[in-house]
Amino acid sequence: MGKLSTPDWIKEGYDSKAEYEKAKGIKNKKSSGKTFKVKKCPKCGSGKVRVVLGGEEGKGSRGWECEACKWQGKNIEEEELDEEKFLKFIEEKEK
């Protein structure tokens, strides 16, 4: 484990980390509460996607497959939802 170093915002003379980030244009987007990551099909927007595994054991995956439109590929959309939106998503998926 390396030595601890003084943060840049102290070295440059700022009073707080928030003031330093504002001056440098750094934006940290942290949402309050619990968040969930949901994968969706880029073609139809369905949440019914699954991983397609390779033929040999331990060789990884071949990509993703949509159960609704039969799309296959590697470029999957990922969306971050809060708890309320996630519950609505689950209800829609079950219908």
Side-chain angles (χ1 to χ4, degrees), residues 6-39:
T6 305
D8 290 334
W9 65 272
I10 293 175
K11 287 180 183 178
E12 294 183 22
Y14 289 94
D15 293 329
S16 68
K17 186 176 180 181
E19 184 182 323
Y20 170 76
E21 289 175 349
K22 184 177 177 183
K24 295 290 183 178
I26 300 171
K27 294 182 180 179
N28 289 337
K29 180 187 169 193
K30 287 190 178 180
S31 54
S32 62
K34 191 138 180 126
T35 58
F36 301 89
K37 290 186 179 180
V38 176
K39 293 178 176 27

Side-chain angles (χ1 to χ4, degrees), residues 43-83:
K43 186 175 178 183
C44 68
S46 171
K48 295 183 178 184
V49 293
R50 63 180 174 206
V51 176
V52 179
L53 298 177
E56 295 180 39
E57 187 174 335
K59 293 290 183 181
S61 69
R62 292 188 298 177
W64 294 88
E65 178 182 38
C66 177
E67 294 177 13
C69 69
K70 305 300 181 201
W71 169 86
Q72 289 185 345
K74 294 190 182 259
N75 300 335
I76 193 89
E77 288 183 10
E78 191 171 294
E79 187 177 349
E80 197 167 301
L81 304 174
D82 63 358
E83 192 170 1

Side-chain angles (χ1 to χ4, degrees), residues 34-40 79-94:
K34 191 138 180 126
T35 58
F36 301 89
K37 290 186 179 180
V38 176
K39 293 178 176 27
K40 291 185 175 184
E79 187 177 349
E80 197 167 301
L81 304 174
D82 63 358
E83 192 170 1
E84 188 175 311
K85 290 180 182 177
F86 180 69
L87 291 174
K88 288 180 184 177
F89 174 78
I90 294 296
E91 289 174 4
E92 290 175 12
K93 189 175 177 179
E94 290 176 356

